[in-house]
Amino acid sequence: MRTQNGQTACLNSNHLESVNGSEILKPLNSIEQEFIGNLKFHGIEELIESLKMVHDFALYHTDLCFDTPEKTALFNLKFLWEGLEQLRKP
């Protein structure tokens, strides 16, 4: 896709990347807006604490062996709660 200044940009997940490396954010679609609204309505603090609790129970209070998929799942939980912590910032 060609930008107004003649540079080419390519779509990469939720943003456009121009050739010079700068990011052009796309606006959220209605489903994404509704999802974030539901997160805020439900209570971001409660969701963060729930994700941390599930993570800690799985990691520290089980005798199960963790292989790559399980480690990835725990990392994904951490990624989610850290993202939610960013949402609660003004």
PDB file of all heavy atoms in Angstrom, residues 4-5 13 16 18 22-24 26 29 33 35 38 44 48 52 55 61 65 70 72 77 79-81 83 85 88:
ATOM      1  N   GLN A   4       0.696   8.602   1.523  1.00  0.00           N
ATOM      2  CA  GLN A   4       0.590   9.906   0.872  1.00  0.00           C
ATOM      3  C   GLN A   4       1.951  10.454   0.464  1.00  0.00           C
ATOM      4  O   GLN A   4       2.071  11.140  -0.541  1.00  0.00           O
ATOM      5  CB  GLN A   4      -0.094  10.900   1.804  1.00  0.00           C
ATOM      6  CG  GLN A   4      -1.551  10.587   2.023  1.00  0.00           C
ATOM      7  CD  GLN A   4      -2.183  11.541   3.016  1.00  0.00           C
ATOM      8  OE1 GLN A   4      -1.510  12.346   3.630  1.00  0.00           O
ATOM      9  NE2 GLN A   4      -3.490  11.445   3.174  1.00  0.00           N
ATOM     10  N   ASN A   5       2.994  10.148   1.249  1.00  0.00           N
ATOM     11  CA  ASN A   5       4.320  10.673   0.907  1.00  0.00           C
ATOM     12  C   ASN A   5       5.085   9.745  -0.032  1.00  0.00           C
ATOM     13  O   ASN A   5       6.266   9.929  -0.247  1.00  0.00           O
ATOM     14  CB  ASN A   5       5.132  10.965   2.172  1.00  0.00           C
ATOM     15  CG  ASN A   5       5.426   9.725   2.978  1.00  0.00           C
ATOM     16  OD1 ASN A   5       5.029   8.631   2.597  1.00  0.00           O
ATOM     17  ND2 ASN A   5       6.106   9.899   4.088  1.00  0.00           N
ATOM     18  N   SER A  13      -0.500  -7.499  11.484  1.00  0.00           N
ATOM     19  CA  SER A  13      -1.423  -7.693  12.603  1.00  0.00           C
ATOM     20  C   SER A  13      -2.283  -6.460  12.805  1.00  0.00           C
ATOM     21  O   SER A  13      -3.082  -6.134  11.962  1.00  0.00           O
ATOM     22  CB  SER A  13      -0.683  -8.113  13.870  1.00  0.00           C
ATOM     23  OG  SER A  13       0.109  -7.071  14.387  1.00  0.00           O
ATOM     24  N   LEU A  16       0.007  -0.865  10.786  1.00  0.00           N
ATOM     25  CA  LEU A  16       0.721  -0.785   9.527  1.00  0.00           C
ATOM     26  C   LEU A  16       2.158  -0.407   9.830  1.00  0.00           C
ATOM     27  O   LEU A  16       2.422   0.413  10.696  1.00  0.00           O
ATOM     28  CB  LEU A  16       0.098   0.287   8.627  1.00  0.00           C
ATOM     29  CG  LEU A  16      -1.316   0.023   8.132  1.00  0.00           C
ATOM     30  CD1 LEU A  16      -1.861   1.264   7.460  1.00  0.00           C
ATOM     31  CD2 LEU A  16      -1.334  -1.134   7.163  1.00  0.00           C
ATOM     32  N   SER A  18       5.468   1.215   8.056  1.00  0.00           N
ATOM     33  CA  SER A  18       5.982   1.852   6.849  1.00  0.00           C
ATOM     34  C   SER A  18       7.394   1.364   6.609  1.00  0.00           C
ATOM     35  O   SER A  18       8.018   0.751   7.459  1.00  0.00           O
ATOM     36  CB  SER A  18       5.943   3.373   6.993  1.00  0.00           C
ATOM     37  OG  SER A  18       6.869   3.778   7.970  1.00  0.00           O
ATOM     38  N   SER A  22       8.440   3.284  11.006  1.00  0.00           N
ATOM     39  CA  SER A  22       7.479   3.903  11.917  1.00  0.00           C
ATOM     40  C   SER A  22       6.164   3.129  11.874  1.00  0.00           C
ATOM     41  O   SER A  22       5.867   2.435  10.906  1.00  0.00           O
ATOM     42  CB  SER A  22       7.255   5.361  11.551  1.00  0.00           C
ATOM     43  OG  SER A  22       6.695   5.453  10.267  1.00  0.00           O
ATOM     44  N   GLU A  23       5.396   3.232  12.933  1.00  0.00           N
ATOM     45  CA  GLU A  23       4.147   2.496  13.057  1.00  0.00           C
ATOM     46  C   GLU A  23       2.957   3.407  12.827  1.00  0.00           C
ATOM     47  O   GLU A  23       2.932   4.534  13.306  1.00  0.00           O
ATOM     48  CB  GLU A  23       4.042   1.941  14.486  1.00  0.00           C
ATOM     49  CG  GLU A  23       3.982   0.469  14.552  1.00  0.00           C
ATOM     50  CD  GLU A  23       3.905  -0.015  15.982  1.00  0.00           C
ATOM     51  OE1 GLU A  23       2.997   0.414  16.715  1.00  0.00           O
ATOM     52  OE2 GLU A  23       4.752  -0.823  16.344  1.00  0.00           O
ATOM     53  N   ILE A  24       1.976   2.915  12.116  1.00  0.00           N
ATOM     54  CA  ILE A  24       0.723   3.625  11.916  1.00  0.00           C
ATOM     55  C   ILE A  24      -0.362   2.728  12.507  1.00  0.00           C
ATOM     56  O   ILE A  24      -0.644   1.662  11.977  1.00  0.00           O
ATOM     57  CB  ILE A  24       0.450   3.870  10.414  1.00  0.00           C
ATOM     58  CG1 ILE A  24       1.639   4.584   9.758  1.00  0.00           C
ATOM     59  CG2 ILE A  24      -0.842   4.636  10.224  1.00  0.00           C
ATOM     60  CD1 ILE A  24       1.605   4.555   8.250  1.00  0.00           C
ATOM     61  N   LYS A  26      -3.946   1.209  13.462  1.00  0.00           N
ATOM     62  CA  LYS A  26      -5.290   1.145  12.905  1.00  0.00           C
ATOM     63  C   LYS A  26      -6.286   1.364  14.035  1.00  0.00           C
ATOM     64  O   LYS A  26      -6.051   0.940  15.151  1.00  0.00           O
ATOM     65  CB  LYS A  26      -5.559  -0.234  12.299  1.00  0.00           C
ATOM     66  CG  LYS A  26      -4.767  -0.561  11.090  1.00  0.00           C
ATOM     67  CD  LYS A  26      -5.189  -1.853  10.423  1.00  0.00           C
ATOM     68  CE  LYS A  26      -5.761  -2.888  11.325  1.00  0.00           C
ATOM     69  NZ  LYS A  26      -6.077  -4.157  10.699  1.00  0.00           N
ATOM     70  N   ASN A  29     -11.751  -2.078  15.727  1.00  0.00           N
ATOM     71  CA  ASN A  29     -13.051  -2.355  15.135  1.00  0.00           C
ATOM     72  C   ASN A  29     -14.080  -2.493  16.256  1.00  0.00           C
ATOM     73  O   ASN A  29     -13.751  -2.459  17.447  1.00  0.00           O
ATOM     74  CB  ASN A  29     -13.005  -3.591  14.222  1.00  0.00           C
ATOM     75  CG  ASN A  29     -12.704  -4.865  14.965  1.00  0.00           C
ATOM     76  OD1 ASN A  29     -13.185  -5.083  16.083  1.00  0.00           O
ATOM     77  ND2 ASN A  29     -11.911  -5.730  14.356  1.00  0.00           N
ATOM     78  N   GLN A  33     -13.525  -2.946  20.370  1.00  0.00           N
ATOM     79  CA  GLN A  33     -14.013  -1.919  21.294  1.00  0.00           C
ATOM     80  C   GLN A  33     -14.950  -2.522  22.336  1.00  0.00           C
ATOM     81  O   GLN A  33     -14.861  -2.201  23.518  1.00  0.00           O
ATOM     82  CB  GLN A  33     -14.732  -0.816  20.526  1.00  0.00           C
ATOM     83  CG  GLN A  33     -13.820   0.053  19.710  1.00  0.00           C
ATOM     84  CD  GLN A  33     -14.585   1.059  18.864  1.00  0.00           C
ATOM     85  OE1 GLN A  33     -15.815   1.032  18.793  1.00  0.00           O
ATOM     86  NE2 GLN A  33     -13.859   1.938  18.200  1.00  0.00           N
ATOM     87  N   PHE A  35     -15.024  -5.651  23.359  1.00  0.00           N
ATOM     88  CA  PHE A  35     -14.244  -6.511  24.243  1.00  0.00           C
ATOM     89  C   PHE A  35     -13.545  -5.688  25.328  1.00  0.00           C
ATOM     90  O   PHE A  35     -13.598  -6.027  26.511  1.00  0.00           O
ATOM     91  CB  PHE A  35     -13.224  -7.318  23.436  1.00  0.00           C
ATOM     92  CG  PHE A  35     -12.356  -8.198  24.282  1.00  0.00           C
ATOM     93  CD1 PHE A  35     -12.878  -9.310  24.920  1.00  0.00           C
ATOM     94  CD2 PHE A  35     -11.012  -7.912  24.453  1.00  0.00           C
ATOM     95  CE1 PHE A  35     -12.078 -10.121  25.713  1.00  0.00           C
ATOM     96  CE2 PHE A  35     -10.207  -8.719  25.237  1.00  0.00           C
ATOM     97  CZ  PHE A  35     -10.741  -9.825  25.870  1.00  0.00           C
ATOM     98  N   ASN A  38     -16.050  -4.475  27.793  1.00  0.00           N
ATOM     99  CA  ASN A  38     -16.452  -5.547  28.708  1.00  0.00           C
ATOM    100  C   ASN A  38     -15.393  -5.799  29.774  1.00  0.00           C
ATOM    101  O   ASN A  38     -15.718  -6.076  30.929  1.00  0.00           O
ATOM    102  CB  ASN A  38     -16.743  -6.837  27.943  1.00  0.00           C
ATOM    103  CG  ASN A  38     -18.030  -6.768  27.154  1.00  0.00           C
ATOM    104  OD1 ASN A  38     -18.922  -5.978  27.463  1.00  0.00           O
ATOM    105  ND2 ASN A  38     -18.122  -7.568  26.112  1.00  0.00           N
ATOM    106  N   ILE A  44     -11.070  -4.622  35.750  1.00  0.00           N
ATOM    107  CA  ILE A  44      -9.720  -4.999  35.341  1.00  0.00           C
ATOM    108  C   ILE A  44      -8.915  -5.529  36.515  1.00  0.00           C
ATOM    109  O   ILE A  44      -8.180  -6.512  36.381  1.00  0.00           O
ATOM    110  CB  ILE A  44      -9.019  -3.809  34.647  1.00  0.00           C
ATOM    111  CG1 ILE A  44      -9.702  -3.549  33.306  1.00  0.00           C
ATOM    112  CG2 ILE A  44      -7.534  -4.072  34.456  1.00  0.00           C
ATOM    113  CD1 ILE A  44      -9.162  -2.376  32.531  1.00  0.00           C
ATOM    114  N   ILE A  48      -6.989  -9.125  36.622  1.00  0.00           N
ATOM    115  CA  ILE A  48      -5.548  -9.222  36.852  1.00  0.00           C
ATOM    116  C   ILE A  48      -5.265 -10.193  37.989  1.00  0.00           C
ATOM    117  O   ILE A  48      -4.417 -11.085  37.874  1.00  0.00           O
ATOM    118  CB  ILE A  48      -4.948  -7.835  37.156  1.00  0.00           C
ATOM    119  CG1 ILE A  48      -4.983  -6.952  35.907  1.00  0.00           C
ATOM    120  CG2 ILE A  48      -3.524  -7.955  37.681  1.00  0.00           C
ATOM    121  CD1 ILE A  48      -4.665  -5.489  36.172  1.00  0.00           C
ATOM    122  N   LYS A  52      -3.263 -13.806  37.774  1.00  0.00           N
ATOM    123  CA  LYS A  52      -2.092 -14.051  38.624  1.00  0.00           C
ATOM    124  C   LYS A  52      -2.296 -15.290  39.491  1.00  0.00           C
ATOM    125  O   LYS A  52      -1.378 -16.092  39.678  1.00  0.00           O
ATOM    126  CB  LYS A  52      -1.809 -12.839  39.511  1.00  0.00           C
ATOM    127  CG  LYS A  52      -1.203 -11.672  38.779  1.00  0.00           C
ATOM    128  CD  LYS A  52      -0.944 -10.520  39.734  1.00  0.00           C
ATOM    129  CE  LYS A  52      -0.298  -9.343  39.060  1.00  0.00           C
ATOM    130  NZ  LYS A  52      -0.025  -8.246  40.000  1.00  0.00           N
ATOM    131  N   HIS A  55      -2.010 -18.463  37.417  1.00  0.00           N
ATOM    132  CA  HIS A  55      -0.585 -18.612  37.095  1.00  0.00           C
ATOM    133  C   HIS A  55       0.177 -19.177  38.290  1.00  0.00           C
ATOM    134  O   HIS A  55       0.915 -20.153  38.165  1.00  0.00           O
ATOM    135  CB  HIS A  55      -0.021 -17.250  36.689  1.00  0.00           C
ATOM    136  CG  HIS A  55       1.454 -17.233  36.466  1.00  0.00           C
ATOM    137  ND1 HIS A  55       2.361 -17.053  37.492  1.00  0.00           N
ATOM    138  CD2 HIS A  55       2.178 -17.361  35.325  1.00  0.00           C
ATOM    139  CE1 HIS A  55       3.582 -17.072  36.998  1.00  0.00           C
ATOM    140  NE2 HIS A  55       3.504 -17.252  35.686  1.00  0.00           N
ATOM    141  N   HIS A  61       1.958 -24.531  42.980  1.00  0.00           N
ATOM    142  CA  HIS A  61       1.178 -25.432  43.823  1.00  0.00           C
ATOM    143  C   HIS A  61       0.750 -26.696  43.101  1.00  0.00           C
ATOM    144  O   HIS A  61      -0.333 -27.213  43.326  1.00  0.00           O
ATOM    145  CB  HIS A  61      -0.051 -24.697  44.373  1.00  0.00           C
ATOM    146  CG  HIS A  61       0.291 -23.479  45.153  1.00  0.00           C
ATOM    147  ND1 HIS A  61       0.846 -23.530  46.406  1.00  0.00           N
ATOM    148  CD2 HIS A  61       0.181 -22.159  44.847  1.00  0.00           C
ATOM    149  CE1 HIS A  61       1.056 -22.308  46.848  1.00  0.00           C
ATOM    150  NE2 HIS A  61       0.665 -21.460  45.918  1.00  0.00           N
ATOM    151  N   CYS A  65       4.746 -31.693  35.683  1.00  0.00           N
ATOM    152  CA  CYS A  65       5.925 -31.264  34.943  1.00  0.00           C
ATOM    153  C   CYS A  65       5.484 -30.280  33.853  1.00  0.00           C
ATOM    154  O   CYS A  65       4.440 -30.456  33.232  1.00  0.00           O
ATOM    155  CB  CYS A  65       6.620 -32.447  34.295  1.00  0.00           C
ATOM    156  SG  CYS A  65       7.304 -33.597  35.484  1.00  0.00           S
ATOM    157  N   GLU A  70       3.118 -25.799  28.206  1.00  0.00           N
ATOM    158  CA  GLU A  70       2.654 -25.312  29.509  1.00  0.00           C
ATOM    159  C   GLU A  70       3.382 -24.025  29.907  1.00  0.00           C
ATOM    160  O   GLU A  70       2.774 -23.097  30.440  1.00  0.00           O
ATOM    161  CB  GLU A  70       2.859 -26.379  30.589  1.00  0.00           C
ATOM    162  CG  GLU A  70       1.990 -27.611  30.434  1.00  0.00           C
ATOM    163  CD  GLU A  70       2.521 -28.643  29.453  1.00  0.00           C
ATOM    164  OE1 GLU A  70       3.643 -28.490  28.946  1.00  0.00           O
ATOM    165  OE2 GLU A  70       1.795 -29.613  29.183  1.00  0.00           O
ATOM    166  N   THR A  72       4.605 -21.893  27.830  1.00  0.00           N
ATOM    167  CA  THR A  72       4.065 -20.861  26.950  1.00  0.00           C
ATOM    168  C   THR A  72       2.721 -20.365  27.460  1.00  0.00           C
ATOM    169  O   THR A  72       2.451 -19.161  27.457  1.00  0.00           O
ATOM    170  CB  THR A  72       3.930 -21.405  25.508  1.00  0.00           C
ATOM    171  OG1 THR A  72       5.212 -21.827  25.056  1.00  0.00           O
ATOM    172  CG2 THR A  72       3.368 -20.363  24.568  1.00  0.00           C
ATOM    173  N   LEU A  77      -0.463 -16.043  30.187  1.00  0.00           N
ATOM    174  CA  LEU A  77      -1.217 -15.476  31.302  1.00  0.00           C
ATOM    175  C   LEU A  77      -0.532 -14.221  31.829  1.00  0.00           C
ATOM    176  O   LEU A  77      -1.182 -13.202  32.085  1.00  0.00           O
ATOM    177  CB  LEU A  77      -1.362 -16.484  32.444  1.00  0.00           C
ATOM    178  CG  LEU A  77      -2.333 -17.624  32.241  1.00  0.00           C
ATOM    179  CD1 LEU A  77      -2.260 -18.591  33.418  1.00  0.00           C
ATOM    180  CD2 LEU A  77      -3.742 -17.092  32.082  1.00  0.00           C
ATOM    181  N   PHE A  79       1.514 -12.281  30.198  1.00  0.00           N
ATOM    182  CA  PHE A  79       1.371 -11.269  29.153  1.00  0.00           C
ATOM    183  C   PHE A  79       0.009 -10.579  29.255  1.00  0.00           C
ATOM    184  O   PHE A  79      -0.099  -9.353  29.150  1.00  0.00           O
ATOM    185  CB  PHE A  79       1.552 -11.928  27.782  1.00  0.00           C
ATOM    186  CG  PHE A  79       1.296 -11.016  26.625  1.00  0.00           C
ATOM    187  CD1 PHE A  79       2.254 -10.106  26.226  1.00  0.00           C
ATOM    188  CD2 PHE A  79       0.091 -11.080  25.940  1.00  0.00           C
ATOM    189  CE1 PHE A  79       2.011  -9.254  25.155  1.00  0.00           C
ATOM    190  CE2 PHE A  79      -0.157 -10.245  24.873  1.00  0.00           C
ATOM    191  CZ  PHE A  79       0.808  -9.325  24.481  1.00  0.00           C
ATOM    192  N   LEU A  80      -1.051 -11.371  29.487  1.00  0.00           N
ATOM    193  CA  LEU A  80      -2.399 -10.802  29.606  1.00  0.00           C
ATOM    194  C   LEU A  80      -2.529  -9.884  30.804  1.00  0.00           C
ATOM    195  O   LEU A  80      -3.061  -8.780  30.702  1.00  0.00           O
ATOM    196  CB  LEU A  80      -3.439 -11.929  29.702  1.00  0.00           C
ATOM    197  CG  LEU A  80      -3.798 -12.617  28.407  1.00  0.00           C
ATOM    198  CD1 LEU A  80      -4.700 -13.819  28.684  1.00  0.00           C
ATOM    199  CD2 LEU A  80      -4.471 -11.661  27.458  1.00  0.00           C
ATOM    200  N   TRP A  81      -2.046 -10.320  31.981  1.00  0.00           N
ATOM    201  CA  TRP A  81      -2.230  -9.452  33.142  1.00  0.00           C
ATOM    202  C   TRP A  81      -1.372  -8.192  33.041  1.00  0.00           C
ATOM    203  O   TRP A  81      -1.783  -7.135  33.502  1.00  0.00           O
ATOM    204  CB  TRP A  81      -2.093 -10.186  34.461  1.00  0.00           C
ATOM    205  CG  TRP A  81      -0.736 -10.279  35.105  1.00  0.00           C
ATOM    206  CD1 TRP A  81       0.063  -9.251  35.507  1.00  0.00           C
ATOM    207  CD2 TRP A  81      -0.049 -11.466  35.469  1.00  0.00           C
ATOM    208  NE1 TRP A  81       1.208  -9.731  36.084  1.00  0.00           N
ATOM    209  CE2 TRP A  81       1.165 -11.097  36.076  1.00  0.00           C
ATOM    210  CE3 TRP A  81      -0.343 -12.810  35.339  1.00  0.00           C
ATOM    211  CZ2 TRP A  81       2.082 -12.012  36.560  1.00  0.00           C
ATOM    212  CZ3 TRP A  81       0.572 -13.721  35.826  1.00  0.00           C
ATOM    213  CH2 TRP A  81       1.762 -13.328  36.420  1.00  0.00           C
ATOM    214  N   GLY A  83      -0.711  -6.665  30.231  1.00  0.00           N
ATOM    215  CA  GLY A  83      -1.462  -5.828  29.302  1.00  0.00           C
ATOM    216  C   GLY A  83      -2.643  -5.156  29.975  1.00  0.00           C
ATOM    217  O   GLY A  83      -2.923  -3.977  29.736  1.00  0.00           O
ATOM    218  N   GLU A  85      -2.800  -4.428  33.117  1.00  0.00           N
ATOM    219  CA  GLU A  85      -2.245  -3.399  34.000  1.00  0.00           C
ATOM    220  C   GLU A  85      -1.980  -2.104  33.218  1.00  0.00           C
ATOM    221  O   GLU A  85      -2.178  -1.020  33.760  1.00  0.00           O
ATOM    222  CB  GLU A  85      -0.948  -3.899  34.661  1.00  0.00           C
ATOM    223  CG  GLU A  85      -1.196  -4.928  35.731  1.00  0.00           C
ATOM    224  CD  GLU A  85       0.074  -5.553  36.286  1.00  0.00           C
ATOM    225  OE1 GLU A  85       1.121  -5.548  35.603  1.00  0.00           O
ATOM    226  OE2 GLU A  85       0.007  -6.065  37.420  1.00  0.00           O
ATOM    227  N   ARG A  88      -5.320  -0.105  32.735  1.00  0.00           N
ATOM    228  CA  ARG A  88      -5.875   0.617  33.898  1.00  0.00           C
ATOM    229  C   ARG A  88      -5.149   1.932  34.145  1.00  0.00           C
ATOM    230  O   ARG A  88      -5.618   2.758  34.909  1.00  0.00           O
ATOM    231  CB  ARG A  88      -5.849  -0.255  35.137  1.00  0.00           C
ATOM    232  CG  ARG A  88      -4.482  -0.478  35.692  1.00  0.00           C
ATOM    233  CD  ARG A  88      -4.529  -1.280  36.963  1.00  0.00           C
ATOM    234  NE  ARG A  88      -3.153  -1.500  37.379  1.00  0.00           N
ATOM    235  CZ  ARG A  88      -2.776  -2.391  38.237  1.00  0.00           C
ATOM    236  NH1 ARG A  88      -3.681  -3.182  38.771  1.00  0.00           N
ATOM    237  NH2 ARG A  88      -1.524  -2.519  38.567  1.00  0.00           N
TER     238      ARG A  88
END
